């Protein structure tokens, strides 16, 4: 398969994973917590959507239910963290493991459920890439518009303040526990939606499809920020940059496959690239920092 | 306005690090009292403010603000009654958010947050006017990230935020200690102005004895988790630093020790 032939597929997958990365952006950038729930909740979204469509439910309804299911996974992680005092990373890992069992049960105890566009009436499919890309862009546009609105409201500003400065938030009467849960619910709802779209696009839901999702999400966020971060401070455009990050990630992914790289190594390389990018701000501060004007005591 | 009844708090109870931080503390503030708080290391000054703010619950005692028993309330609910400024200028504002967003967050303190837009145009105008009075050129920087402002500017903004909606009680925890002397003086001047204009009730911890004497209508001195000296009115106006130090050794039986205290 030539690289150019693979390009539309890379773009479509990039948009879907970019949507997933918007969920990661909410927790990682806005709430300042790395939420590992996403590795499970993306599969939950895929599984719920696939099973409902197979059962004859309308695909839009199936996607909506998948999103709600994802929100519930975020709620669980949020309660682990705020109500039970478990550190956010561990809370996410616990939910992720719970979801492994739950997802299997949703998929009727099978590791894989087919959702072929030839048999079922789905919204996006790799059989019709052009149409799928347009539909995906429309979905992404609606989600970004909704998030732009939400994070500009009083409640949304409270969520952002919670991620930025806990002590200040308390002093200003903001219920930070509620806001953390709210952020996790929103984030995982979006991640599950992207899972539902991915299941349709690739034509199946698989118990392993979420493995390392957090890394791909972080990669998209980081790439988007690295390339477009300096250009804009507009929130909607920043979210769009995350989508672009996802697309670029998948184009590069296709490129290295086309160049003949051993695909077994792809996950390792993705993780290493993300590790290096995460280290950049740290290295910058440690080795290249200009001495800051000290404040007199 | 504020009543502390027999407040006790021990940190790390049952360990070798157990520390009795507040020991049956009683304090009653009248409406409009501007009280400066001084004391040595570990006297319980910040602990008292944190108890009022609800950072944790006291082991014993009751905290009443304006007739409401707030003892069981979590910190974010008590915020409805309080304005707070911290020692660290970075603590009082959200660095990644715009100046106007920070002010809007403060304006909604104690109110229900809804899905309405976070800032109205009318408020924006109001903020511009308020910032003008600071004379720091901030009125044209409403959409600047607060993290880009200097420590002094951030502390001034935090003060504005803390005094919005006229809090029942203003808590100032050494809020000028981390600033250079010139900026500290300016922030202190602003503090006086805001408290006088709004006739606020305030508690201000300071390590500067002179400031403690020069500001407010009442001064309390703390030691070992209690108030050992409480003076107001004419008597306070006539205080000197030497008298305070003498008062301290008389009441506590030891020399005044505070790493940061400015005695002159």
């Amino acid at each position: 398969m030539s690289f150019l032939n693979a390009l539309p597929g890379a773009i479509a997958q990039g948009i879907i994973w970019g949507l997933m990365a918007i969920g990661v952006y909410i927790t990682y950038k806005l709430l300042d917590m790395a939420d590992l729930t996403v590795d499970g909740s993306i599969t939950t979204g895929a599984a719920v959507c696939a099973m409902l469509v197979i059962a004859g439910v309308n695909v839009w309804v199936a996607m909506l239910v998948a999103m709600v299911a994802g929100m519930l996974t975020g709620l669980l992680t949020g309660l682990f963290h705020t109500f039970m005092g478990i550190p956010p990373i561990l809370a996410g890992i616990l939910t992720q493991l719970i979801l492994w069992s739950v997802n299997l049960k949703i998929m009727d105890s099978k590791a894989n459920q087919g959702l072929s566009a030839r048999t079922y009436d789905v919204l996006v499919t790799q059989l019709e890439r052009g149409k799928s890309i347009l539909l995906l862009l429309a979905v992404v546009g609606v989600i970004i518009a909704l998030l732009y609105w939400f994070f500009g409201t009083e409640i949304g500003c409270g969520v952002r303040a919670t991620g930025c400065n806990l002590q200040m938030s308390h002093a200003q009467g903001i219920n930070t526990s509620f806001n953390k849960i709210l952020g996790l619910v929103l984030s995982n709802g979006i991640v599950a939606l992207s899972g539902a779209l991915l299941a349709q696009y690739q034509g199946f839901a698989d118990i392993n499809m979420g493995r390392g999702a957090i890394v791909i999400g972080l990669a998209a966020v980081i790439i988007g920020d690295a390339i477009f971060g300096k250009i804009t401070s507009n929130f909607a455009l920043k979210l769009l940059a995350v989508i672009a990050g996802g697309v670029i990630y998948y184009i590069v992914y296709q490129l290295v496959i086309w160049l003949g790289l051993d695909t077994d190594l792809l996950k390792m390389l993705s993780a290493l690239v993300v590790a290096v990018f995460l280290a950049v701000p740290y290295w910058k501060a440690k080795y290249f920092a200009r001495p800051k004007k000290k404040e007199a005591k | 306005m504020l009543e502390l009844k027999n407040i006790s708090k021990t940190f790390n109870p049952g360990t070798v690090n157990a520390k009795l931080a507040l020991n049956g503390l009683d304090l009653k503030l009248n409406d409009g009292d501007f009280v400066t708080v001084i004391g040595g290391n570990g006297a319980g000054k910040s602990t008292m403010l944190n108890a009022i703010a609800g950072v944790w619950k006291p082991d014993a005692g009751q905290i009443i603000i304006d007739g409401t028993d707030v003892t069981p309330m979590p910190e974010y609910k008590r915020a409805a009654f309080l304005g707070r400024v911290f020692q660290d200028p970075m603590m009082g504002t959200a660095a990644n958010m715009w100046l106007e967003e920070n002010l809007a967050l403060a304006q909604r303190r104690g109110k229900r947050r809804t899905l309405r837009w976070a800032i109205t145009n009318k408020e924006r105008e109001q903020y511009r006017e308020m910032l003008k009075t600071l004379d720091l050129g901030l009125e044209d920087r409403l959409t600047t990230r607060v993290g880009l402002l200097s420590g002094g500017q951030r502390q001034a903004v935090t003060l504005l935020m803390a005094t919005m909606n006229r809090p029942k009680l203003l808590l100032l925890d050494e809020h000028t200690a981390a600033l250079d002397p010139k900026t500290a003086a300016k922030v202190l001047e602003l503090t006086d102005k805001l408290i006088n204009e709004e006739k606020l009730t305030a508690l201000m911890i300071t390590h500067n004895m002179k400031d403690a004497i020069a500001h407010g209508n009442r001064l309390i001195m703390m030691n070992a988790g209690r108030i050992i000296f409480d003076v107001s009115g004419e008597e306070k106006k006539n205080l000197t630093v030497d008298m305070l130090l003498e008062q301290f050794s008389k009441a506590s039986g030891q020399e005044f020790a505070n790493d940061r205290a400015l005695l002159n």
Side-chain angles (χ1 to χ4, degrees):
Chain A
M1 187 170 63
S2 92
F3 174 63
L4 281 181
N5 275 341
L7 210 51
I11 291 172
Q13 284 209 51
I15 297 172
I16 295 174
W17 282 96
L19 183 62
M20 183 270 172
I22 285 182
V24 172
Y25 183 93
I26 292 173
T27 46
Y28 181 67
K29 282 279 190 185
L30 296 184
L31 276 180
D32 195 25
M33 54 167 82
D35 174 33
L36 300 185
T37 313
V38 296
D39 279 26
S41 59
I42 188 169
T43 312
T44 305
V48 168
C49 180
M51 295 313 283
L52 286 177
V53 171
I54 290 168
V57 176
N58 174 281
V59 65
W60 286 101
V61 177
M63 277 169 29
L64 201 68
V65 178
M67 210 167 158
V68 172
M71 288 174 156
L72 290 176
T73 69
L75 177 67
L76 186 62
T77 302
L79 290 175
F80 277 154
H81 174 47
T82 60
F83 179 65
M84 292 166 72
I86 300 167
I89 292 207
L90 202 49
I93 292 176
L94 291 174
T95 307
Q96 195 189 104
L97 200 62
I98 289 170
L99 290 180
W100 177 271
S101 300
V102 172
N103 292 339
L104 265 179
K105 281 295 154 203
I106 293 174
M107 293 201 287
D108 209 10
S109 297
K110 290 200 182 79
N112 193 295
Q113 285 282 357
L115 187 66
S116 168
R118 291 196 180 84
T119 322
Y120 302 103
D121 197 11
V122 293
L123 208 60
V124 292
T125 163
Q126 54 184 343
L127 303 177
E128 292 175 72
R129 289 186 180 134
K131 188 190 127 207
S132 294
I133 288 174
L134 286 181
L135 253 162
L136 287 171
L137 285 176
V139 171
V140 162
V142 170
I143 295 287
I144 288 181
L146 282 173
L147 289 177
Y148 181 78
W149 164 75
F150 175 74
F151 284 106
T153 65
E154 292 172 349
I155 293 178
C157 259
V159 174
R160 283 158 57 211
T162 299
C164 188
N165 184 339
L166 274 181
Q167 190 169 3
M168 175 266 194
S169 299
H170 291 149
Q172 301 306 340
I174 293 167
N175 186 345
T176 54
S177 294
F178 176 81
N179 283 345
K180 284 180 184 172
I181 293 176
L182 188 58
L184 285 164
V185 164
L186 261 181
S187 163
N188 283 289
I190 291 169
V191 170
L193 176 66
S194 93
L197 289 166
L198 189 59
Q200 296 172 50
Y201 180 80
Q202 64 189 16
F204 61 88
D206 187 283
I207 192 70
N208 282 319
M209 65 192 278
R211 178 158 294 167
I214 181 74
V215 175
I216 301 177
L218 284 176
V221 169
I222 291 166
I223 294 169
D225 194 44
I227 297 179
F228 304 103
K230 290 272 184 291
I231 303 172
T232 178
S233 64
N234 179 292
F235 183 66
L237 292 180
K238 279 191 167 180
L239 293 183
L240 205 58
V242 174
I243 299 288
V247 171
I248 292 168
Y249 176 89
Y250 266 91
I251 289 176
V252 173
Y253 189 93
Q254 287 298 340
L255 191 67
V256 293
I257 290 177
W258 179 70
L259 289 172
L261 188 92
D262 182 352
T263 48
D264 288 352
L265 299 180
L266 278 174
K267 276 202 175 10
M268 180 183 85
L269 291 176
S270 300
L272 287 176
V273 167
V274 167
V276 169
F277 271 102
L278 289 178
V280 166
Y282 173 74
W283 286 338
K284 256 192 190 162
K286 194 166 179 194
Y287 301 110
F288 302 103
R290 263 170 268 149
K292 238 178 109 181
K293 213 180 91 191
K294 247 182 133 180
E295 213 143 5
K297 273 258 169 191
Chain B
M1 184 53 74
L2 168 77
E3 213 176 328
L4 301 180
K5 288 184 185 166
N6 199 22
I7 305 284
S8 290
K9 176 72 184 178
T10 304
F11 289 112
N12 307 313
T15 70
V16 285
N17 292 323
K19 157 96 180 135
L20 180 63
L22 294 177
N23 184 10
L25 176 74
D26 286 299
L27 177 67
K28 199 170 173 181
L29 296 194
N30 298 315
D31 211 347
D33 264 355
F34 177 8
V35 182
T36 54
V37 184
I38 54 172
N41 293 327
K45 307 180 297 285
S46 289
T47 312
M48 173 173 76
L49 252 56
N50 286 339
I52 298 169
V55 177
W56 27 254
K57 290 195 173 61
D59 300 334
Q62 232 186 348
I63 300 161
I64 295 159
I65 302 176
D66 200 25
T68 310
D69 182 356
V70 300
T71 323
M73 277 190 197
E75 191 179 0
Y76 78 90
K77 279 199 177 149
R78 282 191 214 188
F81 302 97
L82 303 172
R84 291 163 71 191
V85 185
F86 311 99
Q87 181 178 337
D88 182 351
M90 308 301 141
M91 281 295 183
T93 44
N96 291 336
M97 297 175 75
W98 288 347
L99 178 51
E100 61 175 25
E101 287 175 330
N102 273 274
L103 292 166
L105 281 170
Q107 192 160 39
R108 282 153 185 80
R109 184 174 60 233
K111 297 186 181 131
R112 235 186 108 82
R113 287 168 209 270
T114 68
L115 288 175
R116 273 194 296 267
W117 209 240
I119 312 166
T120 64
N121 279 328
K122 204 178 120 207
E123 284 169 346
R124 232 169 239 132
E125 272 317 303
Q126 200 184 321
Y127 298 159
R128 206 165 275 140
E129 290 306 312
M130 284 167 56
L131 289 168
K132 237 179 229 164
T133 64
L134 294 185
D135 204 19
L136 294 168
L138 292 176
E139 60 273 18
D140 302 319
R141 302 182 68 184
L142 282 178
T143 54
T144 300
R145 283 196 320 119
V146 167
L148 298 174
L149 305 183
S150 72
Q153 286 173 326
R154 282 181 80 166
Q155 208 62 328
V157 168
T158 310
L159 251 180
L160 267 192
M161 288 164 62
T163 51
M164 272 179 158
N165 299 337
R166 198 169 188 279
K168 303 277 184 209
L169 179 64
L170 180 64
L171 301 176
L172 308 167
D173 190 353
E174 297 210 40
H175 67 305
T176 61
L179 306 173
D180 65 81
K182 211 174 132 200
T183 314
K186 207 165 178 190
V187 168
L188 207 51
E189 190 189 317
L190 175 68
T191 310
D192 264 342
K193 185 175 145 237
L194 288 170
I195 290 176
N196 289 333
E197 271 173 10
E198 299 275 327
K199 300 200 173 14
L200 298 172
T201 312
L203 271 172
M204 179 173 89
I205 300 178
T206 175
H207 60 268
N208 187 321
M209 296 259 187
K210 267 192 156 174
D211 286 345
I213 295 168
H215 297 269
N217 66 322
R218 185 174 164 192
L219 180 151
I220 58 179
M221 184 187 278
M222 292 184 71
N223 188 51
R226 288 166 180 271
I227 291 163
I228 54 169
F229 184 53
D230 185 342
V231 58
S232 54
E234 279 304 310
E235 204 186 335
K236 172 182 178 287
K237 276 186 197 148
N238 298 327
L239 277 174
T240 63
V241 173
D242 286 337
M243 284 161 75
L244 277 179
L245 291 175
E246 190 187 326
Q247 194 64 43
F248 182 85
S249 45
K250 206 164 80 189
S252 70
Q254 50 189 292
E255 285 284 305
F256 186 86
N258 181 327
D259 297 339
R260 285 197 314 265
L262 297 175
L263 303 177
N264 44 44

